[in-house]
Amino acid sequence: MTNPSNEVFLEHNRLGVNMWLMGLFAVLLMFGLLMVYSSTIANSDKSLQYETDLLFRQFLHVCTGLLLTVAIAFTPIDLWYRFGKQILIIAMIALIVLLIPGVGHEVNGSTRWISVTGFRFQPAEFVKLAMVIYTAGYLTRMRARLDTFSQGIMMIGIVMAVLGLLLLAQPDFGSFVVITATVGIMMFLGGVRIWHMLLCVIVVVCAITLMVTLSPYRMVRVLSFTDPFADPFNSGFQLVQALIAVGRGELFGVGLGGSIQKLYYLPHANNDFILAIVGEELGFLGISFVVFLFGALLWLALQTARHAEQAGQLFAARLAEGLGAFLVIQALINIGVNLGVLPTKGLTLPFISYGGSS
């Protein structure tokens, strides 16, 4: 029997739409459009474009996402369960195609985009979603055997290893971390044994430490993150500018549109480091508002999963947990990077950062 106090947060209209969840997404998207416009005003001078050009592009991204949302909402959930493996295989093929010389589009030393007739698509974003769908289906199919190591952890571990090799070949270490953390949480919530999970955590931590140690550019990022002011005009430049933006905003911010750091000081102010602009213009309250929205998103996702499991819809429950975890984990990493508590990663803030793929 459900908790009556939670029913108000799970109200659905006649079409079966969770209105609280849709309202939350609407707030995130509108806030994102507002901050993209504010953070990209200076780009119009640099690229000789109208100041609303990037806002219009982002609006088209949002409209495309909404059309996909409607299409997916009318797709029977059983199809995602049945074709989870095929979706993941397509995602892996996209990652392989990305590595073919002349196909992948390189930006800042990383080949993460496929460019077709002026449109750039980032396969890693599709891979994140595909892995959540596949893992949800795997946990549902194997629910009676998850207490064994071979069925509970090892098979997913093999898939993760293959994905990791393809992502690190780009390189895209940030997406690999997001997928690993998301799958780990899904396995934990799905009923995998604790000591199996702990063993995998130890292996993953050792692997990540080894990858950072053997990669000069990753080591530089870690060292610059620990003390960005040691080299404020080179390796620590981006983080220093982000910290200046957040510090300048103080409690209430300097006002919407009043950011100075977005005027060519802070690189990637409209995507990876848009939260720093939020902190500068809207202050600590603005950042707290963003954290609250993603906290509410996670809570609603878990409540949806709980009600789905009570109704016997195990795949839907695992899927809701995975999607909520994926979005919130990526948001937390982006927030941590902007605030200087995590090493710099090329991860966007979901629904808020500029960009079409995410």
Side-chain angles (χ1 to χ4, degrees), residues 25-42 51-52 54-59 62 255-259 262 269-271 274-275 277-278 281-282 286 289-290 293 351-354:
F25 284 140
V27 172
L28 280 165
L29 289 171
M30 289 189 290
F31 184 74
L33 286 172
L34 178 66
M35 293 313 303
V36 164
Y37 177 59
S38 177
S39 62
T40 56
I41 290 177
E51 62 181 24
T52 57
L54 291 181
L55 173 65
F56 180 70
R57 291 184 191 176
Q58 185 71 352
F59 178 73
V62 170
L256 190 63
S259 168
K262 68 185 178 187
N270 61 346
N271 42 56
I274 196 169
L275 187 78
I277 304 303
V278 173
E281 297 188 347
L282 303 178
F289 176 67
V290 172
L293 290 178
F351 306 109
I352 295 177
S353 293
Y354 174 81

Side-chain angles (χ1 to χ4, degrees), residues 103-270:
V103 176
H105 184 78
E106 183 176 328
V107 177
N108 296 329
S110 297
T111 308
R112 303 178 184 176
W113 290 265
I114 294 177
S115 184
V116 180
T117 62
F119 174 77
R120 290 195 305 178
F121 171 68
Q122 193 170 357
E125 299 297 335
F126 179 48
V127 168
K128 295 171 186 174
L129 181 60
M131 192 61 196
V132 169
I133 296 172
Y134 171 78
T135 305
Y138 181 87
L139 291 172
T140 303
R141 289 189 300 272
M142 300 297 177
R143 59 186 179 276
R145 289 176 280 176
L146 291 176
D147 58 343
T148 63
F149 185 81
S150 60
Q151 301 295 333
I153 286 288
M154 191 171 69
M155 295 304 298
I156 288 288
I158 293 173
V159 175
M160 286 297 302
V162 175
L163 271 182
L165 290 174
L166 293 174
L167 287 169
L168 294 174
Q170 300 182 16
D172 191 353
F173 187 66
S175 292
F176 175 66
V177 171
V178 170
I179 293 174
T180 301
T182 301
V183 171
I185 290 176
M186 291 181 69
M187 299 292 280
F188 174 74
L189 295 176
V192 174
R193 285 190 173 185
I194 298 295
W195 74 271
H196 289 171
M197 292 293 302
L198 291 176
L199 180 61
C200 286
V201 168
I202 293 173
V203 172
V204 169
V205 170
C206 291
I208 290 176
T209 302
L210 186 63
M211 285 186 286
V212 171
T213 304
L214 297 179
S215 176
Y217 90 93
R218 291 193 187 108
M219 181 59 72
V220 168
R221 283 190 171 185
V222 171
L223 293 177
S224 63
F225 145 73
T226 56
D227 187 10
F229 291 93
D231 191 7
F233 298 106
N234 190 13
S235 60
F237 180 79
Q238 199 168 24
L239 180 53
V240 166
Q241 299 305 314
L243 293 175
I244 290 174
V246 173
R248 185 169 178 263
E250 297 183 350
L251 182 60
F252 299 105
V254 297
L256 190 63
S259 168
I260 291 178
Q261 293 304 108
K262 68 185 178 187
L263 304 178
Y264 313 126
Y265 292 103
L266 176 62
H268 305 292
N270 61 346

